[in-house]
Amino acid sequence: MRPEYIFMDLDGTISDPKEGITKAVAHALSYYGIRVENLDTLEKFIGPPLLDSFRDFYGFSEERSREAIEKYREYFGSQGLFENVLYDGMKELLAAVVSHGKKIAIATSKPEVYTVQILKYFGIEHYFQFVAGSTLDGGRSKKGDVIRYALDSLKITADQAVMVGDRKHDVIGAKENGMYAVGVLYGYGDRKELETAGADCIVTDVEELKKKLIDL
């Protein structure tokens, strides 16, 4: 069966959110007296759920991680979400995929409320049939849960969709749901990460991704 739906991650797949996310993380860490001189060192926060990242990278307890997320949102919710750029050729990719009869949905660990704002900011919200993300209270942040929510909401089976993302979380989440996974190398994951996670296909750039999605 040819997949009807394309599920796409947002950060590192559709747009590059580096400036906004790293500044928001630095804002949160500063509350705890942690100063970050080089924002590049915070790129590792792009992709995984924030709750996991504050715990894994800074040893925060779950309670402190949740508090840090609130501090993160002080910056991100008002400014950081707009410090974000579409990857070159992405609008053309979305238009081409839709013109070939595919339906596109977002599957992201970012809260849905921010995701919708970002899509509208870029003027691309009309390309998407559905937006699946996390909730502000921390629910549904794991990528596998987000994908399951999207499948259930759209009333489709895993063989009717493919998942596209730049990090292992996207691939692992797809595999947890029995879905074909396409990894992209222009985001924040590398080939080894995507291969180890079990990606069925890996593309180098947006143009290659466009051709792959049209041919699926």
Side-chain angles (χ1 to χ4, degrees), residues 83-115:
E83 294 172 329
N84 196 345
V85 294
L86 276 182
Y87 285 114
D88 289 343
M90 186 52 62
K91 280 189 177 181
E92 292 79 4
L93 178 150
L94 297 172
V97 170
V98 169
S99 72
H100 280 77
K102 304 287 187 181
K103 297 174 182 177
I104 313 175
I106 292 285
T108 176
S109 292
K110 185 182 293 298
E112 282 183 12
V113 61
Y114 294 150
T115 302

mmCIF file of all heavy atoms in Angstrom, residues 83-115:
data_model
loop_
_atom_site.group_PDB
_atom_site.id
_atom_site.type_symbol
_atom_site.label_atom_id
_atom_site.label_comp_id
_atom_site.label_asym_id
_atom_site.label_seq_id
_atom_site.Cartn_x
_atom_site.Cartn_y
_atom_site.Cartn_z
ATOM 1 N N GLU A 83 12.176 32.985 16.635
ATOM 2 C CA GLU A 83 13.600 32.985 16.256
ATOM 3 C C GLU A 83 13.889 31.627 15.613
ATOM 4 O O GLU A 83 14.495 30.744 16.182
ATOM 5 C CB GLU A 83 14.470 33.234 17.495
ATOM 6 C CG GLU A 83 14.266 34.629 18.048
ATOM 7 C CD GLU A 83 14.950 34.863 19.380
ATOM 8 O OE1 GLU A 83 15.088 33.908 20.172
ATOM 9 O OE2 GLU A 83 15.348 36.007 19.632
ATOM 10 N N ASN A 84 13.429 31.493 14.389
ATOM 11 C CA ASN A 84 13.267 30.199 13.737
ATOM 12 C C ASN A 84 13.230 30.461 12.231
ATOM 13 O O ASN A 84 12.648 31.459 11.799
ATOM 14 C CB ASN A 84 11.920 29.629 14.218
ATOM 15 C CG ASN A 84 11.742 28.163 13.968
ATOM 16 O OD1 ASN A 84 12.466 27.552 13.198
ATOM 17 N ND2 ASN A 84 10.736 27.584 14.599
ATOM 18 N N VAL A 85 13.835 29.617 11.440
ATOM 19 C CA VAL A 85 13.832 29.827 9.984
ATOM 20 C C VAL A 85 13.482 28.525 9.258
ATOM 21 O O VAL A 85 13.897 27.446 9.668
ATOM 22 C CB VAL A 85 15.200 30.350 9.471
ATOM 23 C CG1 VAL A 85 15.479 31.734 10.014
ATOM 24 C CG2 VAL A 85 16.325 29.398 9.850
ATOM 25 N N LEU A 86 12.696 28.659 8.197
ATOM 26 C CA LEU A 86 12.395 27.494 7.357
ATOM 27 C C LEU A 86 13.646 27.076 6.613
ATOM 28 O O LEU A 86 14.434 27.920 6.159
ATOM 29 C CB LEU A 86 11.324 27.841 6.316
ATOM 30 C CG LEU A 86 9.846 27.765 6.694
ATOM 31 C CD1 LEU A 86 9.009 28.117 5.479
ATOM 32 C CD2 LEU A 86 9.475 26.392 7.222
ATOM 33 N N TYR A 87 13.826 25.769 6.447
ATOM 34 C CA TYR A 87 14.921 25.302 5.611
ATOM 35 C C TYR A 87 14.642 25.679 4.163
ATOM 36 O O TYR A 87 13.487 25.687 3.708
ATOM 37 C CB TYR A 87 15.081 23.779 5.738
ATOM 38 C CG TYR A 87 15.712 23.357 7.043
ATOM 39 C CD1 TYR A 87 14.998 22.632 7.985
ATOM 40 C CD2 TYR A 87 17.039 23.685 7.332
ATOM 41 C CE1 TYR A 87 15.576 22.251 9.192
ATOM 42 C CE2 TYR A 87 17.624 23.310 8.538
ATOM 43 C CZ TYR A 87 16.889 22.592 9.454
ATOM 44 O OH TYR A 87 17.470 22.230 10.639
ATOM 45 N N ASP A 88 15.702 26.010 3.435
ATOM 46 C CA ASP A 88 15.571 26.377 2.029
ATOM 47 C C ASP A 88 14.874 25.269 1.257
ATOM 48 O O ASP A 88 15.237 24.087 1.387
ATOM 49 C CB ASP A 88 16.950 26.635 1.410
ATOM 50 C CG ASP A 88 17.590 27.919 1.911
ATOM 51 O OD1 ASP A 88 16.857 28.770 2.469
ATOM 52 O OD2 ASP A 88 18.821 28.072 1.738
ATOM 53 N N GLY A 89 13.871 25.644 0.476
ATOM 54 C CA GLY A 89 13.160 24.673 -0.352
ATOM 55 C C GLY A 89 12.015 23.976 0.343
ATOM 56 O O GLY A 89 11.313 23.168 -0.275
ATOM 57 N N MET A 90 11.765 24.292 1.626
ATOM 58 C CA MET A 90 10.734 23.560 2.365
ATOM 59 C C MET A 90 9.327 23.891 1.869
ATOM 60 O O MET A 90 8.477 23.003 1.748
ATOM 61 C CB MET A 90 10.852 23.840 3.871
ATOM 62 C CG MET A 90 9.923 23.009 4.736
ATOM 63 S SD MET A 90 9.997 21.213 4.428
ATOM 64 C CE MET A 90 11.714 20.859 4.873
ATOM 65 N N LYS A 91 9.056 25.163 1.579
ATOM 66 C CA LYS A 91 7.724 25.504 1.066
ATOM 67 C C LYS A 91 7.462 24.783 -0.250
ATOM 68 O O LYS A 91 6.355 24.289 -0.491
ATOM 69 C CB LYS A 91 7.592 27.012 0.874
ATOM 70 C CG LYS A 91 7.306 27.778 2.146
ATOM 71 C CD LYS A 91 6.961 29.227 1.849
ATOM 72 C CE LYS A 91 6.601 29.967 3.127
ATOM 73 N NZ LYS A 91 6.240 31.388 2.872
ATOM 74 N N GLU A 92 8.487 24.722 -1.086
ATOM 75 C CA GLU A 92 8.354 24.038 -2.371
ATOM 76 C C GLU A 92 8.118 22.540 -2.164
ATOM 77 O O GLU A 92 7.325 21.924 -2.875
ATOM 78 C CB GLU A 92 9.593 24.271 -3.227
ATOM 79 C CG GLU A 92 9.776 25.699 -3.715
ATOM 80 C CD GLU A 92 10.347 26.647 -2.665
ATOM 81 O OE1 GLU A 92 10.690 26.192 -1.546
ATOM 82 O OE2 GLU A 92 10.443 27.843 -2.958
ATOM 83 N N LEU A 93 8.803 21.958 -1.171
ATOM 84 C CA LEU A 93 8.592 20.541 -0.854
ATOM 85 C C LEU A 93 7.142 20.301 -0.437
ATOM 86 O O LEU A 93 6.491 19.373 -0.940
ATOM 87 C CB LEU A 93 9.539 20.108 0.266
ATOM 88 C CG LEU A 93 9.412 18.661 0.763
ATOM 89 C CD1 LEU A 93 10.758 18.150 1.261
ATOM 90 C CD2 LEU A 93 8.385 18.513 1.904
ATOM 91 N N LEU A 94 6.642 21.100 0.480
ATOM 92 C CA LEU A 94 5.281 20.915 0.971
ATOM 93 C C LEU A 94 4.268 21.039 -0.169
ATOM 94 O O LEU A 94 3.344 20.228 -0.287
ATOM 95 C CB LEU A 94 4.974 21.935 2.063
ATOM 96 C CG LEU A 94 5.823 21.828 3.341
ATOM 97 C CD1 LEU A 94 5.560 23.018 4.263
ATOM 98 C CD2 LEU A 94 5.561 20.520 4.072
ATOM 99 N N ALA A 95 4.455 22.038 -1.008
ATOM 100 C CA ALA A 95 3.543 22.250 -2.123
ATOM 101 C C ALA A 95 3.577 21.075 -3.091
ATOM 102 O O ALA A 95 2.539 20.609 -3.576
ATOM 103 C CB ALA A 95 3.894 23.548 -2.850
ATOM 104 N N ALA A 96 4.780 20.569 -3.372
ATOM 105 C CA ALA A 96 4.926 19.466 -4.323
ATOM 106 C C ALA A 96 4.311 18.182 -3.774
ATOM 107 O O ALA A 96 3.626 17.450 -4.501
ATOM 108 C CB ALA A 96 6.405 19.247 -4.638
ATOM 109 N N VAL A 97 4.549 17.904 -2.506
ATOM 110 C CA VAL A 97 4.017 16.678 -1.902
ATOM 111 C C VAL A 97 2.485 16.700 -1.911
ATOM 112 O O VAL A 97 1.836 15.709 -2.263
ATOM 113 C CB VAL A 97 4.562 16.513 -0.464
ATOM 114 C CG1 VAL A 97 3.833 15.401 0.267
ATOM 115 C CG2 VAL A 97 6.060 16.216 -0.496
ATOM 116 N N VAL A 98 1.906 17.832 -1.561
ATOM 117 C CA VAL A 98 0.443 17.955 -1.558
ATOM 118 C C VAL A 98 -0.114 17.856 -2.975
ATOM 119 O O VAL A 98 -1.146 17.221 -3.211
ATOM 120 C CB VAL A 98 0.022 19.283 -0.887
ATOM 121 C CG1 VAL A 98 -1.466 19.553 -1.104
ATOM 122 C CG2 VAL A 98 0.329 19.244 0.603
ATOM 123 N N SER A 99 0.582 18.461 -3.935
ATOM 124 C CA SER A 99 0.101 18.427 -5.324
ATOM 125 C C SER A 99 0.115 17.019 -5.900
ATOM 126 O O SER A 99 -0.594 16.726 -6.865
ATOM 127 C CB SER A 99 0.945 19.358 -6.199
ATOM 128 O OG SER A 99 2.244 18.824 -6.418
ATOM 129 N N HIS A 100 0.922 16.142 -5.311
ATOM 130 C CA HIS A 100 0.969 14.742 -5.747
ATOM 131 C C HIS A 100 -0.002 13.857 -4.950
ATOM 132 O O HIS A 100 0.087 12.630 -4.998
ATOM 133 C CB HIS A 100 2.392 14.196 -5.628
ATOM 134 C CG HIS A 100 3.284 14.604 -6.767
ATOM 135 N ND1 HIS A 100 3.842 15.857 -6.874
ATOM 136 C CD2 HIS A 100 3.686 13.922 -7.879
ATOM 137 C CE1 HIS A 100 4.572 15.931 -7.976
ATOM 138 N NE2 HIS A 100 4.485 14.783 -8.599
ATOM 139 N N GLY A 101 -0.922 14.490 -4.238
ATOM 140 C CA GLY A 101 -1.989 13.746 -3.583
ATOM 141 C C GLY A 101 -1.701 13.242 -2.184
ATOM 142 O O GLY A 101 -2.517 12.522 -1.601
ATOM 143 N N LYS A 102 -0.540 13.609 -1.627
ATOM 144 C CA LYS A 102 -0.226 13.187 -0.260
ATOM 145 C C LYS A 102 -0.845 14.151 0.748
ATOM 146 O O LYS A 102 -1.078 15.322 0.443
ATOM 147 C CB LYS A 102 1.286 13.155 -0.043
ATOM 148 C CG LYS A 102 2.066 12.291 -1.019
ATOM 149 C CD LYS A 102 1.887 10.815 -0.762
ATOM 150 C CE LYS A 102 2.833 10.003 -1.650
ATOM 151 N NZ LYS A 102 2.667 8.558 -1.454
ATOM 152 N N LYS A 103 -1.091 13.657 1.944
ATOM 153 C CA LYS A 103 -1.562 14.483 3.035
ATOM 154 C C LYS A 103 -0.457 14.555 4.088
ATOM 155 O O LYS A 103 0.174 13.543 4.391
ATOM 156 C CB LYS A 103 -2.842 13.898 3.627
ATOM 157 C CG LYS A 103 -3.998 13.870 2.636
ATOM 158 C CD LYS A 103 -5.211 13.163 3.208
ATOM 159 C CE LYS A 103 -6.341 13.101 2.188
ATOM 160 N NZ LYS A 103 -7.524 12.355 2.702
ATOM 161 N N ILE A 104 -0.237 15.745 4.634
ATOM 162 C CA ILE A 104 0.874 15.947 5.554
ATOM 163 C C ILE A 104 0.343 16.284 6.941
ATOM 164 O O ILE A 104 -0.617 17.043 7.094
ATOM 165 C CB ILE A 104 1.805 17.077 5.084
ATOM 166 C CG1 ILE A 104 2.151 16.939 3.596
ATOM 167 C CG2 ILE A 104 3.088 17.076 5.916
ATOM 168 C CD1 ILE A 104 2.967 18.091 3.055
ATOM 169 N N ALA A 105 0.975 15.700 7.946
ATOM 170 C CA ALA A 105 0.642 16.005 9.341
ATOM 171 C C ALA A 105 1.936 16.298 10.099
ATOM 172 O O ALA A 105 3.007 15.823 9.725
ATOM 173 C CB ALA A 105 -0.089 14.837 9.995
ATOM 174 N N ILE A 106 1.835 17.093 11.130
ATOM 175 C CA ILE A 106 2.970 17.352 12.014
ATOM 176 C C ILE A 106 2.930 16.357 13.170
ATOM 177 O O ILE A 106 1.872 16.101 13.753
ATOM 178 C CB ILE A 106 2.908 18.773 12.596
ATOM 179 C CG1 ILE A 106 3.130 19.836 11.505
ATOM 180 C CG2 ILE A 106 3.934 18.949 13.714
ATOM 181 C CD1 ILE A 106 4.562 19.981 11.055
ATOM 182 N N ALA A 107 4.090 15.776 13.497
ATOM 183 C CA ALA A 107 4.234 14.935 14.689
ATOM 184 C C ALA A 107 5.482 15.415 15.424
ATOM 185 O O ALA A 107 6.608 15.092 15.037
ATOM 186 C CB ALA A 107 4.358 13.467 14.311
ATOM 187 N N THR A 108 5.286 16.207 16.457
ATOM 188 C CA THR A 108 6.392 16.850 17.154
ATOM 189 C C THR A 108 6.241 16.737 18.666
ATOM 190 O O THR A 108 5.118 16.661 19.178
ATOM 191 C CB THR A 108 6.482 18.344 16.771
ATOM 192 O OG1 THR A 108 7.512 18.985 17.528
ATOM 193 C CG2 THR A 108 5.174 19.072 17.031
ATOM 194 N N SER A 109 7.355 16.749 19.369
ATOM 195 C CA SER A 109 7.326 16.769 20.829
ATOM 196 C C SER A 109 7.117 18.180 21.364
ATOM 197 O O SER A 109 6.942 18.374 22.568
ATOM 198 C CB SER A 109 8.628 16.190 21.398
ATOM 199 O OG SER A 109 8.722 14.813 21.124
ATOM 200 N N LYS A 110 7.133 19.177 20.481
ATOM 201 C CA LYS A 110 6.871 20.554 20.881
ATOM 202 C C LYS A 110 5.378 20.697 21.215
ATOM 203 O O LYS A 110 4.535 20.072 20.561
ATOM 204 C CB LYS A 110 7.243 21.503 19.738
ATOM 205 C CG LYS A 110 7.130 22.985 20.073
ATOM 206 C CD LYS A 110 7.469 23.846 18.877
ATOM 207 C CE LYS A 110 8.919 23.734 18.491
ATOM 208 N NZ LYS A 110 9.851 24.177 19.539
ATOM 209 N N PRO A 111 5.018 21.501 22.209
ATOM 210 C CA PRO A 111 3.602 21.702 22.501
ATOM 211 C C PRO A 111 2.813 22.157 21.269
ATOM 212 O O PRO A 111 3.292 22.974 20.484
ATOM 213 C CB PRO A 111 3.617 22.789 23.584
ATOM 214 C CG PRO A 111 4.918 22.576 24.291
ATOM 215 C CD PRO A 111 5.887 22.190 23.194
ATOM 216 N N GLU A 112 1.625 21.627 21.129
ATOM 217 C CA GLU A 112 0.802 21.949 19.960
ATOM 218 C C GLU A 112 0.552 23.445 19.830
ATOM 219 O O GLU A 112 0.553 23.990 18.719
ATOM 220 C CB GLU A 112 -0.539 21.210 20.037
ATOM 221 C CG GLU A 112 -0.455 19.746 19.658
ATOM 222 C CD GLU A 112 -1.817 19.064 19.681
ATOM 223 O OE1 GLU A 112 -2.849 19.768 19.774
ATOM 224 O OE2 GLU A 112 -1.837 17.824 19.606
ATOM 225 N N VAL A 113 0.342 24.128 20.954
ATOM 226 C CA VAL A 113 0.023 25.549 20.893
ATOM 227 C C VAL A 113 1.157 26.343 20.244
ATOM 228 O O VAL A 113 0.911 27.268 19.450
ATOM 229 C CB VAL A 113 -0.305 26.103 22.302
ATOM 230 C CG1 VAL A 113 0.871 25.961 23.249
ATOM 231 C CG2 VAL A 113 -0.783 27.544 22.224
ATOM 232 N N TYR A 114 2.413 25.993 20.527
ATOM 233 C CA TYR A 114 3.544 26.666 19.904
ATOM 234 C C TYR A 114 3.680 26.254 18.441
ATOM 235 O O TYR A 114 4.005 27.070 17.569
ATOM 236 C CB TYR A 114 4.848 26.339 20.641
ATOM 237 C CG TYR A 114 4.924 26.869 22.048
ATOM 238 C CD1 TYR A 114 5.669 26.202 23.019
ATOM 239 C CD2 TYR A 114 4.265 28.038 22.431
ATOM 240 C CE1 TYR A 114 5.757 26.679 24.316
ATOM 241 C CE2 TYR A 114 4.352 28.520 23.730
ATOM 242 C CZ TYR A 114 5.100 27.833 24.666
ATOM 243 O OH TYR A 114 5.191 28.312 25.958
ATOM 244 N N THR A 115 3.450 24.979 18.176
ATOM 245 C CA THR A 115 3.589 24.459 16.819
ATOM 246 C C THR A 115 2.651 25.181 15.860
ATOM 247 O O THR A 115 3.057 25.598 14.765
ATOM 248 C CB THR A 115 3.312 22.951 16.790
ATOM 249 O OG1 THR A 115 4.223 22.296 17.691
ATOM 250 C CG2 THR A 115 3.472 22.381 15.397
#
